[in-house]
Coordinates of all heavy atoms in Angstrom, one line a residue:
Chain B
L117 N -36.8 20.8 3.2 CA -36.3 22.1 3.6 C -36.1 22.2 5.0 O -36.8 21.6 5.8 CB -37.3 23.2 3.0 CG -37.3 23.3 1.5 CD1 -38.3 24.3 1.1 CD2 -35.9 23.7 1.0
N118 N -35.1 23.0 5.4 CA -34.9 23.2 6.8 C -36.0 24.0 7.5 O -36.6 24.9 7.0 CB -33.6 24.1 6.9 CG -33.0 23.9 8.3 OD1 -33.4 24.5 9.3 ND2 -32.0 23.1 8.4
L119 N -36.3 23.6 8.8 CA -37.4 24.2 9.5 C -37.0 25.5 10.2 O -37.8 26.0 10.9 CB -37.9 23.2 10.6 CG -38.4 21.9 10.0 CD1 -38.5 20.9 11.2 CD2 -39.8 22.1 9.4
K120 N -35.8 26.0 9.9 CA -35.3 27.1 10.6 C -36.3 28.3 10.7 O -36.5 28.9 11.7 CB -34.0 27.6 9.9 CG -33.2 28.5 10.6 CD -31.7 28.5 10.2 CE -31.5 28.5 8.7 NZ -30.1 28.5 8.4
D121 N -36.9 28.6 9.5 CA -37.8 29.7 9.5 C -39.1 29.5 10.3 O -39.6 30.4 10.9 CB -38.1 30.1 8.1 CG -36.9 30.4 7.3 OD1 -35.9 30.9 8.0 OD2 -36.9 30.2 6.1
S122 N -39.6 28.3 10.2 CA -40.9 28.1 10.8 C -40.9 27.7 12.3 O -41.7 28.1 13.1 CB -41.7 27.1 10.0 OG -41.0 25.9 9.9
V123 N -39.9 26.9 12.6 CA -39.9 26.4 14.0 C -38.6 26.8 14.8 O -38.7 27.2 15.9 CB -39.9 24.8 14.0 CG1 -40.1 24.3 15.4 CG2 -41.1 24.3 13.1
G124 N -37.5 26.7 14.2 CA -36.3 27.1 14.9 C -35.1 26.3 14.4 O -35.3 25.3 13.6
Y125 N -33.9 26.6 14.9 CA -32.7 26.0 14.5 C -32.5 24.6 15.1 O -32.4 24.4 16.3 CB -31.6 26.9 14.9 CG -30.3 26.7 14.1 CD1 -30.1 27.2 12.8 CD2 -29.2 26.1 14.7 CE1 -29.0 27.1 12.1 CE2 -28.0 25.9 14.0 CZ -27.9 26.4 12.7 OH -26.7 26.3 12.1
N126 N -32.5 23.6 14.2 CA -32.4 22.2 14.6 C -33.5 21.8 15.6 O -33.2 20.9 16.5 CB -31.0 21.9 15.2 CG -30.5 20.5 14.8 OD1 -30.7 20.1 13.6 ND2 -30.0 19.7 15.7
L127 N -34.6 22.3 15.4 CA -35.8 21.9 16.2 C -36.8 21.2 15.4 O -36.8 21.3 14.2 CB -36.4 23.2 16.8 CG -35.5 24.0 17.8 CD1 -36.3 25.2 18.3 CD2 -35.0 23.1 19.0
P128 N -37.7 20.5 16.0 CA -37.8 20.3 17.5 C -36.9 19.2 17.9 O -36.5 18.3 17.2 CB -39.3 19.8 17.6 CG -39.6 19.1 16.3 CD -38.8 19.9 15.3
A129 N -36.5 19.3 19.2 CA -35.6 18.2 19.8 C -36.6 17.0 20.0 O -37.8 17.1 20.1 CB -35.1 18.7 21.1
I130 N -35.9 15.8 20.1 CA -36.7 14.6 20.3 C -36.6 14.4 21.8 O -35.5 14.2 22.4 CB -36.1 13.4 19.6 CG1 -35.8 13.7 18.1 CG2 -36.9 12.1 19.8 CD1 -37.0 13.9 17.3
I131 N -37.7 14.5 22.5 CA -37.7 14.4 24.0 C -38.6 13.3 24.5 O -39.8 13.2 24.2 CB -38.2 15.7 24.6 CG1 -37.5 16.9 23.9 CG2 -38.0 15.8 26.1 CD1 -38.1 18.3 24.4
H132 N -38.0 12.4 25.4 CA -38.8 11.4 26.0 C -38.9 11.7 27.5 O -37.9 11.7 28.2 CB -38.1 10.0 25.9 CG -37.8 9.6 24.4 ND1 -38.8 9.2 23.6 CD2 -36.7 9.7 23.7 CE1 -38.3 9.0 22.4 NE2 -37.0 9.3 22.4
F133 N -40.1 11.9 28.0 CA -40.3 12.3 29.4 C -40.6 11.1 30.3 O -41.3 10.2 29.8 CB -41.4 13.3 29.5 CG -41.1 14.7 29.1 CD1 -41.5 15.2 27.9 CD2 -40.3 15.5 29.9 CE1 -41.2 16.5 27.4 CE2 -39.9 16.8 29.5 CZ -40.4 17.3 28.2
D134 N -40.2 11.2 31.5 CA -40.7 10.2 32.5 C -40.9 10.9 33.8 O -40.2 11.9 34.1 CB -39.7 9.1 32.6 CG -40.4 7.8 33.2 OD1 -41.6 7.9 33.6 OD2 -39.7 6.7 33.2
I135 N -41.8 10.5 34.7 CA -41.9 11.1 36.0 C -41.4 10.2 37.1 O -41.6 9.0 37.0 CB -43.4 11.4 36.2 CG1 -43.9 12.3 35.1 CG2 -43.6 12.0 37.6 CD1 -45.2 12.9 35.4
V136 N -40.6 10.8 38.0 CA -39.9 9.9 39.0 C -40.1 10.6 40.4 O -40.6 11.7 40.5 CB -38.4 9.8 38.7 CG1 -38.2 9.0 37.4 CG2 -37.7 11.2 38.6
K137 N -39.7 9.9 41.4 CA -39.7 10.5 42.8 C -38.7 11.6 42.9 O -37.7 11.7 42.2 CB -39.3 9.4 43.7 CG -40.4 8.6 44.3 CD -39.9 7.8 45.5 CE -40.9 7.3 46.5 NZ -42.1 6.7 46.1
G138 N -39.0 12.5 43.9 CA -38.0 13.5 44.3 C -38.2 14.9 43.7 O -39.3 15.2 43.2
D139 N -37.2 15.8 44.0 CA -37.4 17.2 43.6 C -36.3 17.6 42.6 O -35.9 18.8 42.7 CB -37.5 18.1 44.8 CG -36.1 18.0 45.6 OD1 -35.2 17.2 45.2 OD2 -36.0 18.7 46.6
K140 N -35.9 16.7 41.8 CA -34.8 17.1 40.8 C -35.3 16.8 39.4 O -36.3 16.0 39.2 CB -33.6 16.3 41.1 CG -32.9 16.6 42.5 CD -31.6 16.1 42.6 CE -30.8 16.6 43.8 NZ -31.5 16.4 45.0
I141 N -34.5 17.3 38.5 CA -34.8 16.9 37.1 C -33.5 16.4 36.5 O -32.4 17.0 36.6 CB -35.2 18.1 36.2 CG1 -36.5 18.8 36.7 CG2 -35.4 17.7 34.7 CD1 -36.9 20.0 35.9
D142 N -33.5 15.1 36.0 CA -32.4 14.5 35.3 C -32.6 14.6 33.8 O -33.6 14.2 33.3 CB -32.3 13.0 35.7 CG -31.5 12.8 36.9 OD1 -30.4 13.3 37.0 OD2 -32.0 12.1 37.8
I143 N -31.5 15.2 33.2 CA -31.6 15.3 31.7 C -30.5 14.5 31.1 O -29.3 14.8 31.3 CB -31.6 16.7 31.2 CG1 -32.7 17.5 31.9 CG2 -31.8 16.8 29.7 CD1 -32.8 19.0 31.5
E144 N -30.8 13.5 30.3 CA -29.8 12.8 29.5 C -29.9 13.3 28.1 O -31.0 13.4 27.5 CB -30.0 11.3 29.6 CG -30.0 10.7 31.0 CD -30.4 9.2 31.0 OE1 -31.0 8.7 30.0 OE2 -30.1 8.6 32.0
Y145 N -28.7 13.5 27.5 CA -28.7 14.1 26.1 C -27.7 13.3 25.2 O -26.7 12.8 25.7 CB -28.3 15.5 26.2 CG -27.8 16.1 24.8 CD1 -28.8 16.3 23.8 CD2 -26.5 16.3 24.6 CE1 -28.4 16.8 22.6 CE2 -26.1 16.8 23.3 CZ -27.0 17.0 22.3 OH -26.6 17.5 21.1
A146 N -28.1 13.1 24.0 CA -27.2 12.6 23.0 C -27.5 13.3 21.7 O -28.6 13.6 21.3 CB -27.3 11.1 22.8
A147 N -26.4 13.5 20.9 CA -26.5 14.0 19.5 C -26.6 12.8 18.6 O -25.7 12.0 18.7 CB -25.3 14.9 19.2
K148 N -27.6 12.7 17.8 CA -27.8 11.4 17.1 C -27.6 11.7 15.6 O -28.5 12.4 15.0 CB -29.2 10.8 17.4 CG -29.3 9.4 16.9 CD -28.3 8.4 17.7 CE -28.4 7.0 17.1 NZ -27.8 6.9 15.8
G149 N -26.5 11.2 15.0 CA -26.2 11.4 13.6 C -27.1 10.6 12.7 O -27.6 9.6 13.1
G150 N -27.2 11.0 11.4 CA -28.0 10.3 10.5 C -27.4 9.0 10.0 O -28.1 8.0 9.7
G151 N -26.1 8.9 9.8 CA -25.5 7.7 9.2 C -25.8 6.5 10.0 O -26.0 5.4 9.4
S152 N -25.7 6.6 11.3 CA -25.9 5.4 12.1 C -27.4 5.2 12.4 O -27.9 4.0 12.5 CB -25.2 5.6 13.5 OG -25.5 6.8 14.1
E153 N -28.2 6.3 12.4 CA -29.7 6.1 12.6 C -30.3 5.4 11.3 O -31.2 4.6 11.4 CB -30.3 7.5 12.7 CG -31.7 7.5 13.4 CD -31.6 7.1 14.9 OE1 -30.6 6.8 15.4 OE2 -32.7 7.1 15.5
N154 N -29.7 5.7 10.2 CA -30.2 5.1 8.9 C -30.1 3.6 8.8 O -30.9 3.0 8.0 CB -29.5 5.7 7.7 CG -30.0 7.1 7.4 OD1 -30.9 7.6 8.0 ND2 -29.3 7.8 6.5
V155 N -29.2 3.0 9.6 CA -29.1 1.5 9.4 C -29.8 0.8 10.6 O -29.8 -0.4 10.6 CB -27.6 1.1 9.5 CG1 -26.8 1.8 8.3 CG2 -26.9 1.5 10.8
S156 N -30.5 1.5 11.4 CA -31.1 0.9 12.6 C -32.4 0.3 12.1 O -33.1 0.7 11.2 CB -31.4 2.0 13.7 OG -30.2 2.6 14.0
R157 N -32.8 -0.8 12.8 CA -34.0 -1.6 12.4 C -34.7 -2.2 13.6 O -34.1 -2.4 14.7 CB -33.6 -2.8 11.6 CG -33.5 -2.4 10.1 CD -33.3 -3.7 9.3 NE -32.2 -3.6 8.5 CZ -31.5 -4.7 8.0 NH1 -31.9 -5.9 8.3 NH2 -30.5 -4.5 7.2
A158 N -36.0 -2.5 13.4 CA -36.8 -3.2 14.5 C -37.7 -4.2 13.9 O -38.1 -4.1 12.7 CB -37.6 -2.2 15.3
R159 N -38.0 -5.3 14.7 CA -38.8 -6.4 14.2 C -39.5 -7.1 15.4 O -38.8 -7.2 16.4 CB -37.9 -7.3 13.4 CG -38.7 -8.4 12.7 CD -37.8 -9.1 11.8 NE -38.3 -10.5 11.6 CZ -37.7 -11.5 11.0 NH1 -36.5 -11.3 10.5 NH2 -38.3 -12.6 10.9
V160 N -40.7 -7.5 15.2 CA -41.3 -8.3 16.2 C -41.2 -9.8 15.8 O -41.7 -10.2 14.8 CB -42.8 -7.9 16.4 CG1 -43.4 -8.8 17.6 CG2 -42.9 -6.4 16.7
F161 N -40.5 -10.6 16.7 CA -40.3 -12.0 16.4 C -41.3 -12.8 17.1 O -41.9 -12.4 18.1 CB -38.9 -12.4 17.0 CG -37.7 -12.0 16.1 CD1 -37.2 -10.8 16.2 CD2 -37.3 -12.9 15.1 CE1 -36.1 -10.4 15.4 CE2 -36.2 -12.5 14.3 CZ -35.6 -11.2 14.4
P162 N -41.5 -14.1 16.7 CA -42.3 -15.0 17.5 C -41.4 -15.4 18.7 O -40.2 -15.4 18.6 CB -42.5 -16.2 16.6 CG -41.5 -16.1 15.5 CD -41.1 -14.7 15.4
P163 N -42.0 -15.7 19.9 CA -41.2 -15.9 21.1 C -40.2 -17.1 20.9 O -39.1 -17.0 21.5 CB -42.3 -16.4 22.1 CG -43.5 -15.7 21.7 CD -43.5 -15.6 20.2
A164 N -40.5 -18.0 20.0 CA -39.6 -19.1 19.8 C -38.2 -18.7 19.2 O -37.3 -19.5 19.3 CB -40.3 -20.2 18.9
A165 N -38.2 -17.5 18.7 CA -36.9 -17.1 18.1 C -35.8 -17.1 19.2 O -34.6 -17.4 18.9 CB -37.0 -15.7 17.5
G166 N -36.2 -16.7 20.4 CA -35.2 -16.8 21.5 C -33.9 -16.0 21.4 O -33.8 -15.1 20.5
K167 N -33.0 -16.3 22.2 CA -31.7 -15.6 22.2 C -31.0 -15.8 20.8 O -30.4 -14.8 20.3 CB -30.8 -16.0 23.3 CG -31.2 -15.5 24.6 CD -30.2 -15.9 25.7 CE -30.7 -15.4 27.1 NZ -30.1 -16.2 28.2
D168 N -31.0 -17.0 20.3 CA -30.3 -17.3 19.1 C -30.8 -16.5 17.9 O -30.1 -15.9 17.1 CB -30.4 -18.8 18.7 CG -29.6 -19.7 19.7 OD1 -28.8 -19.1 20.4 OD2 -29.8 -20.9 19.6
G169 N -32.2 -16.3 17.9 CA -32.8 -15.6 16.8 C -32.4 -14.1 16.9 O -32.2 -13.4 15.9
I170 N -32.3 -13.6 18.2 CA -32.0 -12.2 18.4 C -30.5 -11.9 18.0 O -30.2 -11.0 17.3 CB -32.2 -11.8 19.8 CG1 -33.7 -11.9 20.2 CG2 -31.7 -10.3 20.1 CD1 -34.0 -11.6 21.6
V171 N -29.6 -12.9 18.3 CA -28.2 -12.7 18.0 C -28.1 -12.7 16.5 O -27.4 -11.8 15.9 CB -27.4 -13.8 18.6 CG1 -25.9 -13.7 18.1 CG2 -27.3 -13.7 20.1
E172 N -28.7 -13.6 15.8 CA -28.7 -13.6 14.3 C -29.2 -12.3 13.7 O -28.6 -11.8 12.7 CB -29.5 -14.8 13.8 CG -28.8 -16.1 13.7 CD -27.4 -16.0 13.1 OE1 -27.3 -15.6 12.0 OE2 -26.4 -16.4 13.8
Y173 N -30.3 -11.8 14.3 CA -30.8 -10.6 13.7 C -29.9 -9.4 13.9 O -29.7 -8.6 13.0 CB -32.2 -10.3 14.4 CG -32.9 -9.0 14.0 CD1 -33.3 -8.9 12.6 CD2 -33.2 -8.0 14.8 CE1 -34.0 -7.8 12.2 CE2 -33.8 -6.8 14.4 CZ -34.2 -6.7 13.1 OH -34.9 -5.6 12.7
V174 N -29.3 -9.3 15.1 CA -28.4 -8.2 15.3 C -27.2 -8.3 14.4 O -26.8 -7.3 13.8 CB -27.9 -8.2 16.8 CG1 -26.7 -7.2 17.0 CG2 -29.0 -7.9 17.8
K175 N -26.7 -9.5 14.2 CA -25.6 -9.7 13.2 C -26.0 -9.3 11.8 O -25.2 -8.6 11.1 CB -25.2 -11.2 13.2 CG -24.0 -11.5 14.0 CD -23.8 -13.0 14.1 CE -23.3 -13.6 12.8 NZ -23.1 -15.1 13.0
E176 N -27.2 -9.6 11.4 CA -27.6 -9.3 10.1 C -27.7 -7.8 9.9 O -27.3 -7.2 8.9 CB -29.0 -9.9 9.9 CG -29.7 -9.7 8.6 CD -31.2 -10.1 8.7 OE1 -31.4 -11.2 9.1 OE2 -32.1 -9.3 8.3
V177 N -28.3 -7.1 10.9 CA -28.4 -5.6 10.8 C -27.0 -5.0 10.7 O -26.8 -4.1 9.8 CB -29.1 -5.0 12.0 CG1 -29.1 -3.5 12.0 CG2 -30.6 -5.5 12.1
I178 N -26.1 -5.4 11.5 CA -24.7 -4.8 11.5 C -24.0 -5.2 10.2 O -23.2 -4.3 9.6 CB -23.9 -5.2 12.8 CG1 -24.7 -4.8 14.0 CG2 -22.6 -4.5 12.8 CD1 -25.2 -3.4 14.1
S179 N -24.2 -6.4 9.8 CA -23.5 -6.8 8.6 C -23.9 -6.0 7.3 O -23.1 -5.6 6.5 CB -23.7 -8.3 8.4 OG -23.2 -8.7 7.1
D180 N -25.3 -5.8 7.2 CA -25.8 -5.1 6.1 C -25.3 -3.6 6.2 O -25.2 -2.9 5.2 CB -27.3 -5.1 6.1 CG -27.9 -6.5 5.7 OD1 -27.0 -7.3 5.3 OD2 -29.1 -6.7 5.8
A181 N -25.1 -3.1 7.4 CA -24.8 -1.7 7.6 C -23.3 -1.4 7.1 O -23.0 -0.4 6.6 CB -24.9 -1.3 9.0
G182 N -22.5 -2.4 7.3 CA -21.1 -2.3 6.8 C -20.4 -1.0 7.4 O -20.6 -0.7 8.6
G183 N -19.8 -0.2 6.6 CA -19.1 1.0 7.0 C -19.9 2.2 7.2 O -19.5 3.2 7.7
N184 N -21.2 2.1 6.7 CA -22.0 3.3 6.7 C -22.3 4.0 8.0 O -22.3 5.2 8.1 CB -23.4 3.0 6.0 CG -23.3 2.8 4.6 OD1 -22.2 3.0 4.0 ND2 -24.3 2.3 3.9
P185 N -22.5 3.3 9.1 CA -22.7 4.0 10.4 C -21.5 4.5 11.1 O -21.5 4.8 12.3 CB -23.4 2.9 11.2 CG -22.9 1.6 10.7 CD -22.6 1.8 9.3
C186 N -20.3 4.5 10.4 CA -19.1 5.0 11.0 C -18.6 4.2 12.2 O -18.6 4.6 13.3 CB -19.2 6.5 11.4 SG -19.2 7.6 10.0
P187 N -18.3 2.9 11.9 CA -17.7 2.1 13.0 C -16.3 2.6 13.3 O -15.7 3.2 12.5 CB -17.6 0.7 12.4 CG -18.1 0.7 11.0 CD -18.4 2.2 10.6
P188 N -15.8 2.3 14.5 CA -16.4 1.4 15.6 C -17.6 2.0 16.2 O -17.6 3.1 16.7 CB -15.2 1.3 16.6 CG -14.0 1.9 16.0 CD -14.5 2.8 14.9
I189 N -18.7 1.2 16.2 CA -20.0 1.6 16.7 C -20.3 1.1 18.1 O -19.6 0.3 18.6 CB -21.1 1.0 15.7 CG1 -20.9 -0.5 15.6 CG2 -21.1 1.7 14.4 CD1 -22.0 -1.2 14.7
T190 N -21.4 1.7 18.7 CA -22.0 1.1 19.9 C -23.3 0.6 19.4 O -24.0 1.3 18.6 CB -22.2 2.2 21.0 OG1 -20.9 2.8 21.2 CG2 -22.7 1.5 22.2
V191 N -23.7 -0.6 19.8 CA -25.0 -1.2 19.4 C -26.0 -1.2 20.6 O -25.7 -1.8 21.6 CB -24.8 -2.6 18.8 CG1 -26.1 -3.2 18.3 CG2 -23.7 -2.6 17.7
G192 N -27.1 -0.6 20.4 CA -28.1 -0.6 21.4 C -29.2 -1.6 21.0 O -29.7 -1.5 19.9

Side-chain angles (χ1 to χ4, degrees):
Chain B
L117 291 175
N118 200 283
L119 297 167
K120 197 158 38 180
D121 299 333
S122 54
V123 188
Y125 200 77
N126 219 42
L127 295 181
I130 310 291
I131 312 173
H132 305 284
F133 285 105
D134 203 351
I135 301 195
V136 295
K137 265 195 161 46
D139 62 357
K140 296 192 169 56
I141 300 177
D142 269 309
I143 304 179
E144 300 176 343
Y145 163 72
K148 195 63 186 68
S152 50
E153 200 71 356
N154 284 354
V155 302
S156 302
R157 273 189 232 162
R159 187 172 154 189
V160 182
F161 282 89
K167 283 185 189 159
D168 290 346
I170 297 177
V171 171
E172 273 315 302
Y173 181 60
V174 171
K175 260 172 71 182
E176 178 192 309
V177 172
I178 304 307
S179 175
D180 289 353
N184 289 349
C186 290
I189 51 176
T190 307
V191 184

